[in-house]
Amino acid sequence: MHRRDLLKAAGALAPLVFAGRAFAAPAAGSSRLLLVFLRGAYDAANIVAPVGSDFYHQARPSLALAKPNPADPHAALPLDGDWGLHPALKDSIYPLWQAKQVAFVPFAGTDDMSRSHFETQDTIELGQPIGGSRNFRSGFMARLADALGQDRPIAFSDRVPLCFQGSDHLPVPNIALAGNLSGGIDPHQAQLIQAMYQDGKIDKNLSQAVAQGFAVRSTVAKSLADEMVQANRGAVLPKGFELSARRIGHLMRDQYNLAFVDVGGWDTHVNQGGAQGYLADRIGELGRGLAGFVQEIGPEAWRSTTVVVVSEFGRTFRENGDKGTDHGHGSVYWVMGGSVRGGRMVGPQVRVAAETLNQNRDLPVLTDYRGLVGGLVQRQFALGGDRLNMVFPTAKPVGLDLI
Amino acid sequence: MLKPSHKRLVCGCFALLASGSAHAAAPAPTAFLDRVTWGVNEAVVRDVTARGQRDWLEQQLRAPAAPLPPDAQAQSDAMRISREPMTQLVVEMDAQNRAANALTDPDQRKTARDAYNKDMAELLREAQSRSLLRDLYAPGQLREQMTWFWFNHFNVQAGKRDIRTMVGDYEDQALRPRALGRFRDLLEATLRHPAMLRYLDNDQNAVGHINENYAREIMELHSMGVGSGYSQKDVQELARILTGVGVDLKPDAPRLKPQWQPLYVRSGLFEFNPARHDFGDKQFLGHTIKGSGFKEVEEALDLIAASPATAHHIALQLATYFTGDNPPQALVDRMAATFHRSDGDIAAVLRVLLRSPEFEASLGKQFKDPVHYAVSAVRLAYGNRVVLNTDPLNYWLQRMGEGLYAHETPDGFAMDAAAWTGPGQMETRFEIARSIGSGSAGLFKPRGGALPEQPAFPQIQNALFYQSLMQRLSPNTATVLTQARSPQEWNVLYLSSPEFMHR
C-alpha cells in the first residue's frame, strides 16, 4: 500500500471508535510517563562519567573521557565537580541539563546480583521484591496502569513487554514504530474483519482487542500524517531510534500517557570506544531521539511529562582486555521532564575509587530503582500509599524531590 | 482488485462448488484434526477418512519419529546440523571463537568474529527451519506437536552462551524420540543434554560452589510444580546431588584420583566429574540418598518422576495445551491416575485425554498460540506442496513474540490465551494473514540464490472448505466472506476470521 492510501485508510477508519479508552485525548495538564529501557546494560560510567576521579582515568586507559575542557570537542561536558557528560550528547541532552530539565541518578539499580541480562531485565520489569517467588504475569507498568484506573498505556515495541503484562483491565496495546509503518490491512478489509468479530458468541475481550488493534494503528497513522506529507515533499526522515522517539512524542502529546520503549545494542564487551566509536554513536542516537521526543511532544505537554531512562545493570568499572566492559552492577538512571528539578546529580553518592567498588568490580547500588520510580510516580500521579504498594509491593518510595 | 467480470466468475465458482458439497459424505473431523495436528489440510483429512479416526489416532500415538516426505527431507538432510554430529559442531565452533578472540589485529579480529557470529546464526536458523518443516509435513503430526510442547516445558534459550550449536540436537535427539514415551526417560534425557546444563548453569554447580538454578527449575517447572509440597531444603539437596553434572568440550577425561576414576561418567559432551561432586549423604523428598556419585541423580529422578505431584502437574500441563485454559478437573485427575498407573507413559495419558468427552467438547474453542496460527495457515494454504524457504514463517513467529528457541526464561511460553490476544498481537496476525493470503510471501523463493520466486497462490477456497470448514463458520463470518472482492482478499479474511484463530 502506498503512503497516500494509508492516509486515506486512516481517514476511513476514523469513525471506528470502540470501548472509549484510547480515543479521548488526555486532559490538559494530565501527567505522562515514558519509560525508556536500554537493554544490554549500557556503560553508564562512560556516559555520565566520574571524570573528577583519577581512578576513573586509571581504570579506563583507552576508554575514559577527558576532563571538561572547552577547547577540546572530545572532552566531557561539565555537570558538576565530579561528573561529566559524554560529548555525543552536547546538542541533545546537555541543553536540557542546562535548562535544569534532566537529572542523573548515579549508583542506581537493583539488588539483583545475578549479572544476567535476562534475569535482571525481568527483575526490573516485574518490579517485585527480590527473593520472593516471581509472578511472571505481572509487570509494574501494568500494575501502575491498574492503580491509575482510566489512563492510556501503550508499549512502543513489537510485543507487549513483561512490564506491561498482567493488567486487570483491557489488554495493553503495543506497536513498533521503527521504519515504514505502511503494509497493514486496508480500511475496507479492517472493517470486514471487525465485522467478523462482532458476533455475540466471540469472546468479548477478543472483540475489544481486535477493535483496539485497528484503532491504535489508525491513531498512529493519523498522528503521523504530517510526517508523511513531509516525506512526500522529499524531506529526509530521521532513522532508527530518533524516528521512533519523535513518533512517540507525537503520540504521547495527543493520545497516550503511560508508555514504554526499549532500545537495544548496549552490550559492549569489545571495542566500545571512548569519546568516539560504537558506544558514542549509540548514545548520540539516543540523545537525538530523546531531544526529538521533547520537541515533538511540545512545550505544554512536556511540562507534565517525565521520561525515565533505565538499564538492567552497569558494567565493570575497569575496562577489559578487549577495550570493552563486562557485566557489572550499579548504573546511572536519567529523569527528564519539563517539571523535573534537574541540572543536578541526585541521590546518595560515594567517591569513585578502587575501595568503594562493589566486589572490587563495579559500581555499588545506592538508590533502588523501585524506590526511585515509586517516589516519582507517587509525586507525579498523586498515588496514595495503598495504590503505590500495588505498583511496587514493599518498596519504600525514595524522596529525591525530583518533581 | 478483480475487474467486475472476474468477480462474477469467482462467485460462479463458489456456487458450483458449494452445490457439489451437498452430495458429499459425512463432514470430515476437521475440528478434531485442527487440535491433534499442526493444522487441518486436505491430505490429512484424506488420511484420517481412509483409516477411520480411532485407528488414525492410535497410529499417531505409536508412530516412530519418521522421515519427512522426500522434498522436505532433502532440505533437512542438506543442513549442516543434519550432516555433522552436535558434539563435533560445538567443538568446532568453540575453536573458531577462540581463534577469533586470539587475533591481535582489531580489524582481523572483527572479521573473524563476524564470521563466527554468522555461522552461529546459521546453525540456529537451520534448527528452526528443520523444526518448521517437520511441523508442516511430518506424517507423525502428534509427535511433532508434542516435541514443541516438551521443548517449551523443558525450555532452553538459544541466545545464551553457545546453545545455538546445541539446540537442534536437543530437540532432535533428546526430546523428539521420547515425546510419546516415558516421562522419566525424557526428564533424564534433558538432564544429560549440554543445552540444558548450560542454560540453567549446572555446568557451574560444584561442591563448595553450589548453583541451585537447575535443581530449582527441575522441581518447579519440569516435574512436581511450584507449591506442590517440596521444600527449599529439597531444592538445596537436589543441587548437591547435581554437583559435578556438567559439560566438557575437551576430548579426554580429566586426571582424577584413582578412587574416583570408576565414578567418572562421560557421554558426548555430557560429563559427571566426581572431583566436583559433593559425596555427603542427602535428605531428598523424605528419603536418604547415600553419597555415591551419578547414581544419586538416577535415584533422585526416580523419586521425582514417581511423585504424585509430578503426575498431576504433567497431566495439567498436557490438558491445558490440548483443551485450553482451566481444563476440567475430572479429566486432569483421570490423566494423572493414568500417568501414575502407567509409570509415566505419555502416549497412555494422551489417549485418555484425546478420547475423552471433555476433549470433544472443547474442540474449536481453544485460541491458537502464534506457532499454531502461522503453521496451520501455511498447512491450509499449501497442503503438501513443500515450501522452499521457512524464513518468512520464522519471521512471523518472531513478530508475534513466539520465536522458536527464543523464550528467555525457563518457564517457557505462556499457554493461556490471554498471553496472545492483545491488540498488537491481533493486528500482527491480520498482517500475517494478509501476507499469506495474498501471495506466497516468499515461502517459495529459495534462499541464498538469485532464483525468482516460484509461482504459488494459496487455494484456501477448495473442496475441504466447502465440504467441512464452511459449516463451522458463524453467520457473521460467512456473510463477510461473501463480500470479498477477490480470491486473495477472501484468503486474507478467512485467515483473519475468529474461526481460524481457534482450534
Side-chain angles (χ1 to χ4, degrees), chain A residues 118 122 136-137 158-159 171-174 183-186 188-189 192-193 195-199 202 206 209-210 212-214 217 322, chain B residues 109 157 367 399 401 408-409 411 414 421-427 430-431 434 474 476-477 480 483 485 489 493 496-498 501-502:
Chain A
F118 309 138
D122 290 352
F136 275 99
R137 307 273 172 259
D158 58 4
R159 55 177 146 160
V172 173
N174 66 292
I185 296 284
D186 78 36
H188 173 71
Q189 290 172 357
L192 291 175
I193 289 170
M196 292 194 287
Y197 285 84
Q198 278 161 5
D199 192 317
I202 307 296
L206 193 57
V210 169
Q212 194 181 2
F214 284 120
R217 188 162 275 279
D322 286 327
Chain B
R109 183 160 59 180
Q157 196 232 358
F367 192 77
R399 273 199 67 194
E408 289 164 2
T409 46
D411 53 343
T421 52
Q425 287 276 337
M426 295 304 293
E427 175 70 21
F430 302 140
E431 287 180 25
R434 181 173 170 275
S474 76
N476 262 9
T477 303
V480 166
Q483 294 167 25
R485 296 168 298 190
E489 187 164 273
L493 293 172
S496 301
S497 68
M501 295 295 164
H502 291 82

Side-chain angles (χ1 to χ4, degrees), chain B residues 226-471:
Chain B
V226 68
S228 63
Y230 62 86
S231 66
Q232 171 61 26
K233 177 78 177 161
D234 287 319
V235 171
Q236 288 167 330
E237 293 290 88
L238 182 57
R240 289 178 64 215
I241 290 167
L242 286 169
T243 48
V245 172
V247 178
D248 192 359
L249 267 50
K250 292 187 290 296
D252 303 318
R255 277 195 297 178
L256 294 169
K257 294 179 190 169
Q259 73 268 29
W260 280 345
Q261 284 171 7
L263 295 174
Y264 182 75
V265 183
R266 181 71 186 258
S267 169
L269 302 177
F270 166 83
E271 176 189 76
F272 172 74
N273 183 346
R276 292 166 57 81
H277 184 67
D278 176 347
F279 276 92
D281 292 350
K282 290 96 180 172
Q283 297 297 321
F284 180 62
L285 296 178
H287 296 256
T288 300
I289 293 186
K290 291 276 183 198
S292 63
F294 191 70
K295 198 163 136 297
E296 296 168 46
V297 177
E298 302 282 2
E299 287 177 47
L301 291 187
D302 287 343
L303 289 171
I304 290 168
S307 152
T310 297
H312 184 266
H313 182 59
I314 301 300
L316 179 63
Q317 298 281 99
L318 285 168
T320 304
Y321 185 67
F322 279 104
T323 67
D325 300 356
N326 304 315
Q329 185 65 45
L331 172 64
V332 177
D333 289 346
R334 295 204 306 280
M335 291 167 66
T338 301
F339 186 101
H340 202 64
R341 196 169 50 240
S342 69
D343 197 17
D345 180 340
I346 296 160
V349 177
L350 283 175
R351 189 177 290 113
V352 171
L353 167 65
L354 300 176
R355 288 183 180 174
S356 70
E358 292 96 330
F359 176 76
E360 181 74 25
S362 75
L363 293 178
K365 295 176 185 160
Q366 185 179 15
F367 192 77
K368 290 176 182 175
D369 66 25
V371 181
H372 263 109
Y373 177 72
V375 174
S376 67
V378 175
R379 277 176 62 84
L380 182 65
Y382 293 106
N384 280 1
R385 179 170 174 193
V386 174
V387 301
L388 301 176
N389 189 348
T390 54
D391 288 356
L393 193 44
N394 217 6
Y395 167 69
W396 295 326
L397 299 183
Q398 279 158 20
R399 273 199 67 194
M400 289 187 282
E402 203 176 17
L404 290 182
Y405 321 131
H407 193 74
E408 289 164 2
T409 46
D411 53 343
F413 290 110
M415 285 197 273
D416 59 319
W420 308 113
T421 52
Q425 287 276 337
M426 295 304 293
E427 175 70 21
T428 304
R429 284 193 188 201
F430 302 140
E431 287 180 25
I432 291 165
R434 181 173 170 275
S435 297
I436 300 174
S438 49
S440 75
L443 293 163
F444 292 91
K445 182 168 173 52
R447 276 190 99 237
L451 289 170
E453 173 142 29
Q454 294 196 5
F457 179 74
Q459 300 289 339
I460 301 176
Q461 286 167 283
N462 54 24
L464 173 65
F465 174 76
Y466 292 109
Q467 283 163 13
S468 178
L469 300 178
M470 190 168 76
Q471 294 150 38

